[in-house]
Amino acid sequence: MKLYCLSGHPTLPCNVLKFKSTTIMLDCGLDTTSVLNFLPLPLVHSPRLSKLPGWISKDGTVNLEKELKECAGRVFVDSQPEFCLPERELLDLSTIDVILISNYHCMMALPYITEHTGFTGTVYATEPTLQIGRLLMEELVNFMERVPKSQSATCWKNKEIQRLLPCPLKDAVEVWTWKRSYSMQEVNSALSKVQLVGYSQKVELFGAVQISPLSSGYSLGSSNWIIQSHHEKVSYVSGSSLLTTHPQPMDQSSLKNSDVLILTGLTQMPTANPDGMLGEFCNNLAMTIRAGGNVLVPCYSSGVIYDLLECLYQFIDSANLGTTPFYFISPVANSSLEFSQIFAEWLCHNKQSKVYLPEPPFPHAELIQTNKLKHYPSIHGDFSSEFRQPCVVFTGHPSLRFGDVVHFMELWGKSSINTIIFTEPDFSYLDALAPYQPLAMKCVYCPIDTRLNFHQVAKLLKEVQPLHVVCPEQYTQPPPSQSHRSDLMLELQPPPVPYRRCSVLNLPFRRRYERVYILPELANSLVPSEIKPGISVATVSAVLHSKDNKHTLQSVPKPPPVPPSKKRKRVMEEPPVVQAPKPLLSGAVPLEAFLATLQKHGITEVKVEETVDGHILHLQADDTLIQLEEDGTHIVCDNNEPLRTTLRDLVLRFLQKL
Amino acid sequence: MPEINVTPLGAGQDVGRSCILVSIGGKNIMLDCGMHMGYNDDRRFPDFSYITQNGRLTEFLDCVIISHFHLDHCGALPYMSEMVGYDGPIYMTHPTKAICPILLEDFRKITVDKKGETNFFTSQMIKDCMKKVVPLNLHQTVQVDDELEIKAYYAGHVLGAAMVHIKVGSESVVYTGDYNMTPDRHLGAAWIDKCRPDILISESTYATTIRDSKRCRERDFLKKVHESIERGGKVLIPVFALGRAQELCILLETFWERMNLKAPIYFSTGLTEKANHYYKLFITWTNQKIRKTFVQRNMFEFKHIKPFDRSYADNPGPMVVFATPGMLHAGQSLQIFKKWAGNEKNMVIMPGYCVQGTIGHKILNGQRKLEMEGRSTLDVKLQVEYMSFSAHADAKGIMQLIRMAEPRNMLLVHGEAVKMEFLKGKIEQEFSIDCYMPANGETATVTTNPSVPVDISLNLLKREMALGGPLPDPKKPRTMHGTLIMKENSLKLVSSEQALKDLGLNEHQLRFTCRVQLQDPHSDPDTLQRIYVHLKSVLKGYTIQHLPDGTVMVESIVIKVSSSTEDPNTKVLLLSWSYQDEDLGSFLSTLLKKGLPSGL
């Protein structure tokens, strides 16, 4: 069993597992942190951005002023933002049989994998994952396509040139694999390959392997996966949460007894408590509004935003924010809010029971009904005429490089009464803000990451006891910025097997058994005999049939009756057809009991002689010797076939047959 | 031989109070727990005393599964769990769990508050009963216990309706509940994979019907409603609050929109709004088209359909009223019917099946004078139309499901005996499988013949597959040998050598040495050589070696030659073999005793 690791990002994984002749891709994460190296894409012309100076190396030898711009001491690529794709050269992607998606954040690279690579397999995901994943992709494509940028910068990627660039561009990895966003057509084609599955549904792959998604508690429809045969079990844990937010709680017990547990998607903010962050978020929001400022919340259009809105629903009245408008701006804002209300089966118990009343599970329905929350597809259109300040705006993209958020940064950035509150943990807020410096706006960093922290994961692993754990190398050492915090890493016995981008791991387990089915006819013909208390054995002779990776054992067909031979006299000379070979024997022949049996069969003249290893029985009448020893019996006789077979059968009575 | 027993307590050769007991692999499962609309006495509920005469059912049942929220499938549930007594798990889908208690409460109100019956379940009992419900998701494999697993499939029919696959070991049963094989305006079609159950228990409401295309029926329906409205008549459509009602509402709504009609459409009971709300929240259970467009336009927000008030029934002019319940056996639909029955301009359209004993059933059979309570009679003058809109599979649909699931046996419930008989014949003829149709209280027994799952050591399997080649020759099957070790519940098949090792046993060698006397006037080495040549010619396909140490080996059988001390021409052959070569050893000793052929 092998694991190919195509992504180095621990929370946006992409691994390929080869197991029992199936090739299974686990998640398809798209590393979007690469876009931080690009200039923001403004929705309306920004004089500030367009006037940024081009970059020329200090000695003047390298001139990339068309491609690179300098802003507040940092260099940015002036081109359509690009993403860092999973590795595509490590193995032939057309050989992938299935792709398992664990949550909607981990599928954003799907079109790059399923389109133009010869992929012909099936993608498995839950319904919320598919629907919300589609929204997030649609949003991404929309953000990119509505501000088309013809320029595509490539010169800076030249190794010789990149070496000379200032940080962080100099250290950017795999820049040649960076790609622009896909098109909606590619998204639709990729998503048409998705087959929906429900939690705990068992799906057979080629009869060899069974896969099953389990609730992971992180987001709507998020799942961990069990990949197992009758005797081996691999658990894939990705983006799980034990906190009580809106999704169905994590199914932990089904992860028990794994041979290998692949662990990805732990929290990116191991030291930030989500509840504390939520409180800070509310306080800062209220403070800014009271002071007459606006609040900007860059966020994804699904996920934590549902919890933020729910938190605000309870907070608004107590904080006297009843008249403050809340805006949610995204091309998929409406869809995201609507979809969140129809997945009752995938929600936590509290929300589920609301649906039985029947009431919408999320309180944002009420916020919308009472006009406290308004949603718009973009800043253009209705929004521009209905927009009142001071207000709170939720909008994307959290990288601040594209989407409507860019507009609000330009609009509100210069005033210190406004506040930007970061809640998404995927991007460093300092890097995100870099192209907007100098900035007067207040910045608050309240990253909310509900995924497992090291303490929780240690407890979980102790509970489910996998034989081996495989994880990204980042989890096997403390984070670089907090190298003294040995509590921020995985410490296990045996130590976890670390992987990094492009690793190929041989997973340490041996398969020893396979399932085979004995057909009823054969099963009925077996004769078990008890060999030790509670243990029986039966010898089996059967014909093996293997089809679609399923094995069955049938009775040996009876040979067709031999046609009457003309050369009758020669019949005796036909060598015996090899029938079932004789079983192996075990046990010992007890002397006294054996003598008694001989006597019963009329063999009375027996002379017993003791030897070093046992006894020799001399059947004087027939000049036959029987040598009885602990682990062997030897019958020496003249060619007296009837006697020999009698003795043989008598000896066999005392032995066990295997 | 293991067997599966199926006993209907209700819905055996009948429609109503569905309740089917299945015992499979030592587990007992109750499928549905419904009431009968045609009775007001004890026969209303299934006869649970079949299970036990005294006391609670908990220890006799491993689980109860409810297929959908119609009362003939869940109406007896609180009676069973709270009054007879059952504390085990009750499984149903989320929509069923949401809607079922509302219909039960409705049923209770009509029975207790209106008809004044006592000794009926209470509101609290409905609540307590619902606490025992475990929600089921589609396609989720639910482990009821270590051995019993169930899985739900989409059944169409009504919101949240499910078919269930019940599996213990390698034996399995599928119960369809009520299902629909053609998608309609708001629901999708039933679907199941090729799960090859031992028994497929199917409803057979429309066992003998093959319905014309749905479009025709819809057009017919709209035409009749339209004509009646045109001539100023009132149209009553008795429905159940959830299910067909939404289907027909969507149909009328779009028709009114298209034709720009002004006559009012009303929907009785306060349940409408609530019902539509359920449809909105459970939109993932509706059909593809509605699901795809729900963000833009929710099909369950009706413009033309208004809530009904009792006083409207006497309003002049045309109108269409949807009123509950659907079989005209009680409640508002019956009240309106009594009001309107006298006028031949009016019309009642029965869009679904009516159980025997209900007014719906009587008027559909052409009865024109109805005996009402209090000895009064009612003359039925209004037009009576029947349109099969109930979303049950017809004969074609049932056959289609059999083709999908490929069951080994078929069992029909939820239908009339005569019709079942007909379908049974057709199924047995077309699929050559046995078809059962037990009556209530009668048990159908199917013996199963399950394969035995065993763990084979990979070494043995791989060796065998390597020897057998990728495509084994069907004419010369290879025989594989091994030892099956049975220990507690595990069955392991390993090579015999492995078995000895695993069990910590010593091997006991059984050997035979046989002296054969032979007349052969040659030197010892020559005799040996002659034996070698002789065996070579007789034993084709065996490994025969003439070794330099003066022995001949046939496979692992050793043959030595020495001369008799008395007569050099009398040779004594020593054949020595182990028990594993018994057949060959025995054959050789017999062969050599006959001497060597002179031609050598």
Side-chain angles (χ1 to χ4, degrees):
Chain A
M1 192 173 78
K2 273 187 170 178
L3 189 72
Y4 298 76
C5 309
L6 312 188
S7 161
H9 196 300
T11 32
L12 297 166
C14 184
N15 295 312
V16 175
L17 178 72
K18 286 203 175 187
F19 177 40
K20 276 191 81 179
S21 74
T22 54
T23 306
I24 303 171
M25 179 177 269
L26 306 169
D27 275 333
C28 229
L30 182 65
D31 185 351
T32 48
T33 51
S34 57
V35 301
L36 293 175
N37 295 298
F38 292 77
L39 272 190
L41 285 181
L43 276 164
V44 286
H45 178 75
S46 157
R48 183 184 73 87
L49 288 174
S50 57
K51 275 190 211 132
L52 291 176
W55 180 83
I56 302 168
S57 66
K58 277 189 191 126
D59 54 4
T61 48
V62 185
N63 183 340
L64 287 176
E65 52 183 352
K66 282 232 170 65
E67 291 196 352
L68 304 179
K69 305 282 173 177
E70 262 190 283
C71 176
R74 288 250 302 245
V75 175
F76 296 93
V77 182
D78 185 13
S79 133
Q80 180 145 38
E82 295 179 340
F83 308 115
C84 180
L85 269 49
E87 187 58 48
R88 296 200 288 180
E89 305 298 322
L90 198 60
L91 84 165
D92 181 358
L93 296 180
S94 70
T95 61
I96 289 173
D97 298 310
V98 296
I99 302 180
L100 310 183
I101 303 293
S102 53
N103 62 67
Y104 48 76
H105 287 300
C106 290
M107 65 186 289
M108 298 299 280
L110 198 60
Y112 296 117
I113 304 290
T114 61
E115 308 308 298
H116 320 299
T117 57
F119 172 80
T120 55
T122 310
V123 182
Y124 288 96
T126 62
E127 181 161 17
T129 299
L130 169 69
Q131 301 298 359
I132 296 174
R134 180 194 296 277
L135 295 181
L136 293 182
M137 290 181 177
E138 211 178 295
E139 184 187 48
L140 191 69
V141 173
N142 191 299
F143 282 159
M144 295 295 180
E145 287 184 350
R146 72 185 179 191
V147 275
K149 202 158 189 168
S150 52
Q151 169 156 301
S152 150
T154 51
C155 292
W156 70 275
K157 290 183 180 177
N158 187 308
K159 259 197 188 126
E160 291 306 306
I161 295 175
Q162 197 199 353
R163 208 161 46 85
L164 304 169
L165 299 179
C167 282
L169 275 183
K170 191 171 94 175
D171 304 324
V173 289
E174 314 278 343
V175 291
W176 281 106
T177 68
W178 290 14
K179 277 262 170 355
R180 286 170 160 232
S181 163
Y182 30 72
S183 68
M184 208 51 219
Q185 197 190 350
E186 287 167 317
V187 170
N188 287 331
S189 170
L191 296 185
S192 70
K193 293 166 180 133
V194 174
Q195 173 109 36
L196 294 181
V197 284
Y199 288 149
S200 311
Q201 181 177 344
K202 294 173 179 170
V203 180
E204 291 275 331
L205 301 182
F206 318 107
V209 176
Q210 192 186 62
I211 56 168
S212 183
L214 306 175
S215 175
S216 78
Y218 169 57
S219 61
L220 266 178
S222 69
S223 27
N224 293 321
W225 291 86
I226 300 289
I227 301 130
Q228 63 184 344
S229 65
H230 284 288
H231 297 284
E232 300 86 18
K233 177 168 172 180
V234 179
S235 296
Y236 174 57
V237 174
S238 161
S240 302
S241 176
L242 292 172
L243 299 181
T244 330
T245 57
H246 57 272
Q248 207 180 96
M250 177 181 181
D251 178 353
Q252 301 178 59
S253 57
S254 305
L255 297 172
K256 280 182 183 165
N257 305 320
S258 306
D259 295 289
V260 173
L261 186 143
I262 303 169
L263 180 68
T264 66
L266 299 185
T267 177
Q268 303 184 80
M269 296 294 146
T271 53
N273 173 328
D275 279 334
M277 290 292 134
L278 211 52
E280 216 167 297
F281 168 80
C282 287
N283 289 337
N284 279 291
L285 184 142
M287 237 150 51
T288 308
I289 296 290
R290 273 189 216 115
N294 298 296
V295 176
L296 178 62
V297 187
C299 61
Y300 292 115
S301 40
S302 180
V304 175
I305 185 168
Y306 303 142
D307 298 317
L308 292 179
L309 291 175
E310 180 153 10
C311 178
L312 287 172
Y313 170 80
Q314 292 154 358
F315 180 72
I316 283 175
D317 290 324
S318 65
N320 236 341
L321 297 174
T323 54
T324 311
F326 287 77
Y327 300 116
F328 177 17
I329 303 169
S330 157
V332 298
N334 185 24
S335 301
S336 164
L337 294 172
E338 288 286 338
F339 268 111
S340 67
Q341 307 285 21
I342 65 160
F343 291 126
E345 286 101 319
W346 310 88
L347 293 173
C348 64
H349 184 74
N350 264 344
K351 298 223 173 311
Q352 243 172 40
S353 36
K354 278 192 140 186
V355 177
Y356 297 151
L357 293 178
E359 275 171 28
F362 284 97
H364 55 240
E366 198 184 318
L367 288 177
I368 296 169
Q369 220 170 27
T370 54
N371 265 329
K372 285 178 180 146
L373 174 68
K374 292 187 174 189
H375 53 81
Y376 300 91
S378 89
I379 54 165
H380 299 299
D382 293 345
F383 176 70
S384 47
S385 54
E386 292 171 15
F387 159 64
R388 281 188 297 120
Q389 302 193 62
C391 63
V392 180
V393 169
F394 295 89
T395 188
H397 185 271
S399 66
L400 306 189
R401 291 303 180 273
F402 45 85
D404 300 275
V405 72
V406 176
H407 178 75
F408 289 98
M409 285 307 292
E410 297 287 334
L411 188 69
W412 292 343
K414 290 165 218 84
S415 167
S416 62
I417 60 165
N418 299 325
T419 307
I420 177 168
I421 310 182
F422 291 90
T423 56
E424 300 290 353
D426 284 1
F427 302 93
S428 138
Y429 78 107
L430 288 174
D431 289 340
L433 289 172
Y436 298 97
Q437 299 293 0
L439 199 70
M441 188 182 206
K442 239 191 319 180
C443 298
V444 179
Y445 188 49
C446 308
I448 297 171
D449 195 331
T450 58
R451 285 172 281 209
L452 296 175
N453 61 34
F454 286 100
H455 175 71
Q456 290 166 329
V457 85
K459 216 176 133 200
L460 172 74
L461 292 176
K462 208 169 160 190
E463 189 74 21
V464 305
Q465 300 262 339
L467 289 183
H468 302 278
V469 173
V470 177
C471 70
E473 59 175 356
Q474 288 92 331
Y475 297 161
T476 58
Q477 63 220 18
S481 56
Q482 289 157 297
S483 52
H484 62 288
R485 294 285 300 267
S486 61
D487 57 327
L488 300 185
M489 59 180 278
L490 273 183
E491 273 186 292
L492 299 172
Q493 259 338 303
V497 184
Y499 74 80
R500 59 166 69 143
R501 191 177 168 108
C502 290
S503 295
V504 179
L505 306 179
N506 273 311
L507 293 186
F509 79 75
R510 260 188 62 213
R511 296 176 44 216
R512 295 183 53 204
Y513 287 99
E514 179 68 88
R515 182 51 60 94
V516 60
Y517 293 89
I518 298 188
L519 292 189
E521 189 200 348
L522 174 62
N524 290 336
S525 71
L526 296 179
V527 189
S529 60
E530 190 166 56
I531 204 148
K532 284 180 179 179
I535 303 176
S536 305
V537 296
T539 53
V540 178
S541 293
V543 178
L544 175 72
H545 284 262
S546 299
K547 194 179 159 194
D548 297 337
N549 288 315
K550 289 258 183 281
H551 312 288
T552 51
L553 290 177
Q554 299 185 351
S555 305
V556 181
K558 294 215 172 68
V562 187
S565 174
K566 284 175 191 164
K567 308 174 195 164
R568 254 184 187 224
K569 53 179 184 182
R570 276 188 63 104
V571 164
M572 265 312 284
E573 294 191 7
E574 289 293 324
V577 183
V578 180
Q579 303 233 322
K582 298 292 178 225
L584 293 183
L585 302 173
S586 178
V589 182
L591 177 69
E592 293 307 322
F594 184 60
L595 286 175
T597 314
L598 286 179
Q599 197 143 29
K600 239 188 242 167
H601 284 77
I603 302 166
T604 45
E605 282 180 63
V606 182
K607 200 178 120 200
V608 180
E609 182 186 321
E610 200 158 329
T611 65
V612 188
D613 298 314
H615 299 87
I616 291 176
L617 278 57
H618 192 196
L619 278 52
Q620 286 162 323
D622 308 288
D623 197 16
T624 292
L625 291 175
I626 303 172
Q627 204 175 333
L628 287 183
E629 284 172 11
E630 184 65 29
D631 55 359
T633 302
H634 196 169
I635 298 172
V636 185
C637 62
D638 274 334
N639 194 4
N640 181 349
E641 194 62 10
L643 175 66
R644 190 186 66 83
T645 49
T646 308
L647 291 175
R648 176 194 73 193
D649 293 340
L650 293 181
V651 169
L652 284 175
R653 279 191 193 181
F654 293 94
L655 296 173
Q656 290 154 336
K657 292 143 207 91
L658 285 143
Chain B
M1 212 51 108
E3 54 189 36
I4 304 175
N5 290 312
V6 182
T7 316
L9 296 187
Q13 302 181 7
D14 185 17
V15 177
R17 60 164 186 189
S18 283
C19 185
I20 295 134
L21 297 178
V22 171
S23 61
I24 170 172
K27 306 282 168 186
N28 297 312
I29 298 124
M30 179 186 285
L31 301 168
D32 279 338
C33 190
M35 53 88 72
H36 202 296
M37 311 259 183
Y39 300 117
N40 282 322
D41 50 22
D42 280 353
R43 290 171 295 171
R44 174 164 55 200
F45 293 144
D47 181 10
F48 298 112
S49 66
Y50 178 90
I51 303 173
T52 171
Q53 290 290 341
N54 35 22
R56 307 171 66 78
L57 304 178
T58 311
E59 58 181 301
F60 299 96
L61 294 175
D62 291 278
C63 73
V64 174
I65 303 171
I66 302 294
S67 66
H68 63 287
F69 60 62
H70 278 154
L71 288 175
D72 59 331
H73 292 260
C74 68
L77 196 57
Y79 171 75
M80 191 275 299
S81 75
E82 306 310 308
M83 297 176 76
V84 181
Y86 168 74
D87 299 318
I90 301 169
Y91 292 94
M92 54 178 83
T93 66
H94 284 273
T96 308
K97 186 183 172 190
I99 296 165
C100 168
I102 296 171
L103 298 185
L104 286 171
E105 180 58 30
D106 234 43
F107 173 39
R108 189 198 65 80
K109 266 191 202 147
I110 291 178
T111 320
V112 178
D113 299 355
K114 295 232 170 100
K115 295 190 191 159
E117 281 188 41
T118 49
N119 194 24
F120 203 71
F121 54 78
T122 63
S123 293
Q124 189 55 44
M125 286 178 181
I126 298 177
K127 282 185 193 132
D128 293 341
C129 165
M130 294 312 290
K131 281 183 196 144
K132 297 169 185 170
V133 171
V134 183
L136 265 181
N137 294 331
L138 284 184
H139 299 166
Q140 173 194 17
T141 308
V142 175
Q143 216 67 48
V144 176
D145 57 36
D146 286 346
E147 288 150 346
L148 172 61
E149 61 177 51
I150 57 177
K151 180 177 177 182
Y153 291 89
Y154 191 77
H157 187 60
V158 288
L159 195 72
M163 308 192 273
V164 274
H165 183 236
I166 299 145
K167 197 174 155 210
V168 180
S170 50
E171 297 173 278
S172 65
V173 169
V174 168
Y175 173 59
T176 64
D178 292 355
Y179 63 105
N180 187 11
M181 295 301 287
T182 45
D184 57 29
R185 274 166 196 271
H186 78 296
L187 295 172
W191 178 86
I192 195 162
D193 49 27
K194 210 178 277 304
C195 52
R196 300 195 174 95
D198 292 300
I199 310 178
L200 174 63
I201 305 174
S202 172
E203 65 136 323
S204 50
T205 324
Y206 291 118
T208 53
T209 322
I210 290 184
R211 284 182 293 179
D212 46 0
S213 96
K214 258 194 64 188
R215 274 194 190 289
C216 292
R217 255 178 298 145
E218 289 180 355
R219 211 181 308 130
D220 241 35
F221 170 76
L222 293 170
K223 204 174 130 210
K224 278 180 182 150
V225 172
H226 194 195
E227 281 169 4
S228 189
I229 294 292
E230 290 282 274
R231 54 167 196 262
K234 293 176 167 61
V235 181
L236 171 64
I237 308 172
V239 289
F240 289 97
L242 292 122
R244 284 313 85 195
Q246 279 66 30
E247 176 80 3
L248 295 174
C249 282
I250 294 175
L251 189 62
L252 280 190
E253 168 93 5
T254 37
F255 186 68
W256 250 237
E257 185 100 33
R258 201 174 71 223
M259 304 293 286
N260 201 14
L261 296 178
K262 293 287 178 275
I265 309 176
Y266 297 114
F267 199 121
S268 82
T269 81
L271 214 75
T272 342
E273 194 130 339
K274 224 173 171 184
N276 290 340
H277 218 100
Y278 280 118
Y279 278 83
K280 284 187 223 164
L281 291 171
F282 288 112
I283 212 107
T284 51
W285 287 79
T286 59
N287 70 26
Q288 193 127 30
K289 195 180 152 205
I290 293 184
R291 260 156 47 199
K292 251 191 170 155
T293 55
F294 90 103
V295 177
Q296 288 77 42
R297 175 163 195 265
N298 201 314
M299 286 298 271
F300 299 103
E301 274 160 19
F302 301 115
K303 267 192 264 169
H304 297 273
I305 301 168
K306 308 261 161 31
F308 180 75
D309 186 279
R310 194 173 297 202
S311 63
Y312 296 174
D314 300 321
N315 285 0
M319 67 172 82
V320 180
V321 175
F322 288 96
T324 56
M327 299 186 193
L328 284 179
H329 54 281
Q332 200 151 31
S333 62
L334 186 57
Q335 285 170 17
I336 300 172
F337 176 76
K338 285 186 205 162
K339 272 197 177 139
W340 293 357
N343 190 337
E344 61 271 8
K345 270 206 291 190
N346 295 342
M347 182 188 287
V348 60
I349 301 180
M350 306 297 300
Y353 183 87
C354 287
V355 162
Q356 231 169 18
T358 60
I359 296 206
H361 188 261
K362 287 177 191 158
I363 58 169
L364 280 181
N365 280 335
Q367 213 170 315
R368 283 309 190 175
K369 268 200 197 309
L370 297 172
E371 281 174 34
M372 306 308 282
E373 287 154 43
R375 290 201 188 157
S376 61
T377 54
L378 181 69
D379 283 319
V380 180
K381 290 189 182 146
L382 87 179
Q383 279 187 60
V384 178
E385 296 288 346
Y386 171 72
M387 303 226 134
S388 147
F389 273 99
S390 43
H392 291 280
D394 60 2
K396 216 166 86 192
I398 296 170
M399 303 302 254
Q400 203 181 334
L401 189 78
I402 299 176
R403 237 164 272 136
M404 263 186 178
E406 291 190 1
R408 297 192 182 90
N409 296 280
M410 191 68 196
L411 191 146
L412 299 177
V413 293
H414 200 283
E416 291 160 29
V418 192
K419 297 182 181 175
M420 277 184 182
E421 199 73 61
F422 175 81
L423 184 65
K424 172 175 143 81
K426 253 185 88 173
I427 291 169
E428 288 178 334
Q429 186 192 349
E430 185 158 333
F431 298 100
S432 322
I433 55 175
D434 287 334
C435 183
Y436 303 81
M437 39 177 282
N440 287 338
E442 211 173 272
T443 301
T445 301
V446 169
T447 45
T448 57
N449 215 355
S451 301
V452 183
V454 159
D455 297 334
I456 186 170
S457 101
L458 208 57
N459 290 338
L460 181 62
L461 180 70
K462 281 197 166 155
R463 188 174 77 193
E464 202 55 34
M465 301 226 321
L467 289 173
L471 288 170
D473 185 351
K475 285 183 202 148
K476 264 173 65 190
R478 247 192 70 78
T479 310
M480 159 178 156
H481 306 284
T483 302
L484 187 66
I485 305 177
M486 287 161 261
K487 193 168 150 189
E488 283 156 22
N489 285 326
S490 91
L491 292 174
K492 287 201 160 71
L493 181 61
V494 296
S495 62
S496 305
E497 296 82 3
Q498 183 72 33
L500 279 179
K501 224 168 108 190
D502 286 1
L503 294 170
L505 298 174
N506 64 324
E507 191 188 342
H508 189 99
Q509 289 278 353
L510 175 58
R511 285 197 73 80
F512 303 96
T513 299
C514 218
R515 287 185 293 264
V516 179
Q517 296 212 348
L518 194 67
Q519 290 300 320
D520 199 41
H522 294 277
S523 70
D524 293 357
D526 282 357
T527 305
L528 197 65
Q529 176 62 25
R530 283 159 53 80
I531 289 170
Y532 174 70
V533 175
H534 177 50
L535 293 181
K536 262 289 203 203
S537 72
V538 176
L539 296 171
K540 297 275 189 307
Y542 286 82
T543 321
I544 304 171
Q545 292 164 288
H546 189 167
L547 298 175
D549 66 349
T551 56
V552 164
M553 295 252 315
V554 182
E555 300 289 329
S556 62
I557 296 172
V558 183
I559 303 171
K560 282 186 182 162
V561 177
S562 60
S563 305
S564 157
T565 39
E566 294 113 48
D567 177 7
N569 287 342
T570 305
K571 306 290 179 193
V572 179
L573 307 185
L574 282 177
L575 275 80
S576 180
W577 68 89
S578 73
Y579 176 60
Q580 275 65 38
D581 284 317
E582 169 69 9
D583 290 338
L584 187 60
S586 164
F587 169 77
L588 282 182
S589 60
T590 318
L591 178 76
L592 290 174
K593 197 177 169 185
K594 289 187 210 141
L596 297 171
S598 48
L600 281 169

